[in-house]
Structures are given as C-alpha cells and as structure tokens.
Amino acid sequence: MAAGKGKLLKAIQIQDIQLHTVLLPYQAPFETSFGAETDKVAVLVEVRTAAGVTGWGECSIELWPGYGQETANTAEHILREFLVPAALGASISDPRQFPALIRRFRGHHHSRAGLEAAIWDAFAKSNDMRLTDLFAHYAPAGHESTGAATVGVSIGIQPSLADTVAIVNKRISEGYCRIKLKIKRGWDVEVARAVRAAQPDIPLMLDANSDYRLEDAERLAQLDAFDLLMIEQPLAHDDIYHHGLLQKRLQTRICLDESVKSASDLRLALGVGALRILNLKPARVGGFSECLEIYQVCVEHSLPLWLGGMLETGVGRAANVAFAALPAVTLPSDISATARYFAEDLTEPPFALGADSRLAVPAGYGIGVSMQRERLEAAKQRWRDKFPYGRAGAA
Ligand code: OSB
Ligand code: MG
C-alpha cells in the first residue's frame, strides 16, 4: 500500500563508526576471468546512533582489484581518512541525504556503499522497520516489498565441462531456478553447448566479466544458438559505446554489470542501446540511494532488472535481499543461500533457499540478521594472521 509512504520517519544522529576487516573462507574457490578467489574479504562498517542503535554495512571487495578497483587497504584508508569523519555527528532524517555529505570525495564506490548501507540499517532499525520496507518507502508509488527475493546461482569457471555439468545439475537439484556461468575467451561456446544439452529448459545466462572485444562479435554470436536469458558484460569494464554496437549483432540480450557505475551511466547506456537488462550491484554504484535512482530509471524505461552479488557475508547479503524484494526486480538475482558460500557465516539466521527459488526477507528490523560477535572476532583474526601486513593480494 502507499499507506506507509507518507509516514514521517524519525531522524538519527551518527555517534560512532567502527571498521572491521574480515576474512572468511569460501566453501569452494570461485574462479572468474580474473582468476580464482579462496576467501571472502570485506570491510564491515558498524554505525552507532546517539540513541544507541547499531547498524551494519558491508564494503564488498575482493583480495585483488579485479572486478572492482578497491581492496581492503584502500577501503580502510578512504573510510578512515575521509568518509567516516564526514559522517560522524551527522543528523539524518532521510538516508538519501547521506551522499551529499561525501559529495566532495570522488570514486571508491564500494567503500561509500558500505558506510551508506550501515546508515540505512541503523535508520530502519531506529524506525522499527525492515530495511526492505524502508527501500519501498522511497520507491515509486505502489511499489511495496514482496517479502522475498527470487534468486539464481552464479557458477565459477570449473576445471572441465563434465565438472561444470555436474555442478549445474547439483544446483538445479538444490532448487535454483536460474543458472549463470562464468565464461572467458576459450571457455564459452563449448561450455554453453554442454550445459544446454544437459539442461534444455533451465533459464541460463553467461557472464564474461569484460573478457571480450568487439572483434569477438562473431564468436559471441555463436552463443545465440543456446537460448540464453542474457550475456553479462562481454566487453570492457569502462566501455558502453561498443556494447551498443555489439548488441546490434547479437540476438542474445546484453546485460551490463561493470560498465554501469551510476544512474547517469545507465541513461547513457539506454541512449546508445548498450543493454537490455541491468545487473544492479549496490557496491558498484556507490550505495542504496543511487540504487533507488537507478530503480526509478528502470521503471521508467521498463528495463528488466536484477541484483548482482559479490559473494557477500550475511551483512551484505541481507541488504541485497531486502532490495531485491522490490517488485521491479523482475529477474532472478545473484544472491544464493548462505550454505553455497560459507560453512559458517558471521550472521544468524542463515539464508535458506525456499520454494520457487526464493530467499525470504527476515522478519527482524533493519537487515534482519544479527552479528555473531565471536565469529566476527575470529574472522578479523584470520585476516590479520593471513595478511599481517594488510597486503592486498598474494601472487
Ligand atoms: O561479475 O557478477 C559478477 C562475484 C564477484 C565479483 C563479480 C561477480 C561475482 C558473481 C557472484 O558473479 C555472484 C554472487 O554473489 O553469488
Ligand atoms: Mg558480473
């Protein structure tokens, strides 16, 4: 109902902000066109309000500046030196005011998204609201939370075609309704053919993470034979124009990920026909305020939308589920059950895959999951032990 939308919400004052850098082992290494990652690294942001409410946010990063340009060290630096001081003491009566507080700093979207997410969580909790309902409050009229996110699963590059088919079959038997396969040059047409042969009906998509160039258009057009839901980010991470040229040569719809870092990028991409679907990642676009603006653009253009993921801990995953439960997120999101990522997450309860390939939004206020302090301390220790100099990656 639009009933909640007129509601006046209570302001919060940011009193304290703590940063926690954690390392959490994945169930299995995740390989993309950049290489394989064995552990999740994240800088978690803990915000405390003057009224004593705690909010959590996650800076989604990786060990290398591969997908994104930030690492744990750069995120800590930018937060500690610039973003945190700008937020401390601020009084916020609408979380969308936060970007203005840090407008004089450019870039570092993953870092700013983590801090902004903690503020959104604290704001929702301070108003006795689920984060999903707070997002809906600022969404267009008539857009209420559906209470659950429809999700798929993203499968990394496997050692062989047989391994790929085996893991796809396993994920489908677990209940996932949409499969995404990571591809790279030399690992594309054959893998699509093998999986399509094994699973003729499953909604299937590929994610190239920018491994191709426009000269590869003929190769990419061979993928049209496999009835794909979409191909994600075939060309360079900073390219929009050539995606427009490529789309004219493909039947398969192009979905952009890396190339759309703001609502402004999205308007440009729409203008040159560079995408027919958007993967929206809160970290990539710099936070949930920008996500809401992008959501609005998608609604105006009837552009199909889904939420991407970066193998987040429960903190980031919970916020992503809250956003993915909005009604214009019409395609399955890259947010899988906790067990697909970690043996033990930092938050409780875990996310479990329900009927119809859905993850339910937890009932609690804010992100709806609670931090397990002993696990948090262990994960911080793991980061310090494995990277005692805080270095950003191992050779
Ligand atoms: O390109 O979508 C991507 C993970 C890390 C960095 C980039 C990407 C991904 C994924 C994982 O595909 C999706 C998930 O969180 O399940
Ligand atoms: Mg992607």
Side-chain angles (χ1 to χ4, degrees):
M1 311 301 91
K5 304 226 179 190
K7 189 172 147 192
L8 195 62
L9 300 176
K10 198 164 75 188
I12 60 170
Q13 197 186 3
I14 311 295
Q15 188 166 76
D16 185 49
I17 300 174
Q18 299 293 326
L19 306 178
H20 309 271
T21 302
V22 296
L23 194 69
L24 208 59
Y26 290 133
Q27 288 277 28
F30 189 75
E31 185 174 341
T32 65
S33 58
F34 313 118
E37 296 254 345
T38 54
D39 297 81
K40 172 77 254 178
V41 61
V43 177
L44 300 179
V45 183
E46 178 182 14
V47 160
R48 201 161 42 78
T49 70
V53 173
T54 297
W56 288 93
E58 177 165 346
C59 303
S60 293
I61 45 177
E62 295 172 294
L63 288 169
W64 304 313
Y67 170 84
Q69 300 173 356
E70 294 162 70
T71 66
N73 289 350
T74 70
E76 284 183 23
H77 164 64
I78 291 295
L79 282 158
R80 188 163 288 135
E81 303 289 329
F82 307 107
L83 307 183
V84 166
L88 278 176
S91 182
I92 289 175
S93 60
D94 175 335
R96 296 172 303 172
Q97 295 162 348
F98 173 71
L101 296 178
I102 56 169
R103 204 183 325 270
R104 63 189 185 279
F105 308 118
R106 291 190 182 161
H108 304 281
H109 283 192
H110 296 239
S111 300
R112 60 176 77 209
L115 176 54
E116 197 188 311
I119 291 170
W120 277 92
D121 182 37
F123 194 89
K125 285 170 175 159
S126 301
N127 281 283
D128 294 348
M129 290 171 87
R130 297 184 303 173
L131 182 57
T132 194
D133 297 320
L134 184 60
F135 290 146
H137 182 83
Y138 298 117
H143 286 240
E144 299 304 325
S145 174
T146 65
T150 301
V151 302
V153 60
S154 172
I155 294 178
I157 292 169
Q158 305 295 314
S160 70
L161 294 178
D163 288 311
T164 310
V165 171
I167 187 81
V168 166
N169 290 342
K170 176 162 182 267
R171 295 304 180 209
I172 293 171
S173 72
E174 288 168 357
Y176 289 102
C177 70
R178 181 281 267 152
I179 297 290
K180 160 167 144 181
L181 302 173
K182 292 287 183 179
I183 59 165
K184 60 181 179 181
R185 278 172 300 161
W187 182 259
D188 45 28
V189 175
E190 291 70 23
V191 69
R193 181 180 292 119
V195 170
R196 190 37 101 211
Q199 294 287 348
D201 301 321
I202 193 80
L204 179 66
M205 58 177 290
L206 308 176
D207 184 359
N209 285 113
S210 297
D211 208 39
Y212 296 82
R213 309 213 262 156
L214 189 58
E215 295 86 277
D216 299 312
E218 265 178 48
R219 177 86 184 162
L220 293 168
Q222 291 178 41
L223 298 168
D224 285 341
F226 306 114
D227 186 26
L228 301 173
L229 196 55
M230 70 193 89
I231 179 164
E232 183 176 339
Q233 195 68 38
L235 307 181
H237 69 95
D238 56 355
D239 176 89
I240 291 177
Y241 178 68
H242 287 120
H243 280 106
L245 299 183
L246 178 64
Q247 182 66 85
K248 291 191 177 61
R249 297 173 63 178
L250 301 183
Q251 280 160 25
T252 305
R253 290 180 291 180
I254 290 179
C255 168
L256 291 182
D257 175 356
E258 282 91 325
S259 295
V260 176
K261 294 184 167 67
S262 63
S264 152
D265 285 346
L266 177 57
R267 291 188 190 96
L268 171 60
L270 284 162
V272 301
L275 84 177
R276 293 185 184 166
I277 296 174
L278 179 68
N279 166 345
L280 174 58
K281 281 187 193 163
R284 195 188 67 225
V285 304
F288 285 113
S289 298
E290 194 73 16
C291 285
L292 283 164
E293 190 173 337
I294 287 174
Y295 184 91
Q296 173 106 35
V297 174
C298 291
V299 170
E300 280 161 14
H301 288 81
S302 303
L303 185 71
L305 164 70
W306 53 282
L307 265 272
M310 289 190 65
L311 314 162
E312 282 88 354
T313 76
V315 170
R317 181 178 331 286
N320 288 353
V321 168
F323 200 94
L326 293 178
V329 179
T330 49
L331 289 166
S333 293
D334 262 357
I335 317 171
S336 303
T338 303
R340 174 252 178 278
Y341 305 98
F342 308 110
E344 185 181 72
D345 204 339
L346 300 177
T347 55
E348 289 287 338
F351 286 93
L353 193 66
D356 303 325
S357 198
R358 281 147 66 98
L359 296 182
V361 174
Y365 295 142
I367 56 174
V369 295
S370 60
M371 179 57 69
Q372 305 300 298
R373 293 278 175 179
E374 329 73 66
R375 297 185 204 166
L376 176 69
E377 289 311 317
K380 290 170 73 170
Q381 190 60 45
R382 186 175 159 81
W383 167 252
R384 289 191 291 259
D385 289 347
K386 199 149 176 197
F387 296 101
Y389 308 107
R391 68 197 173 95

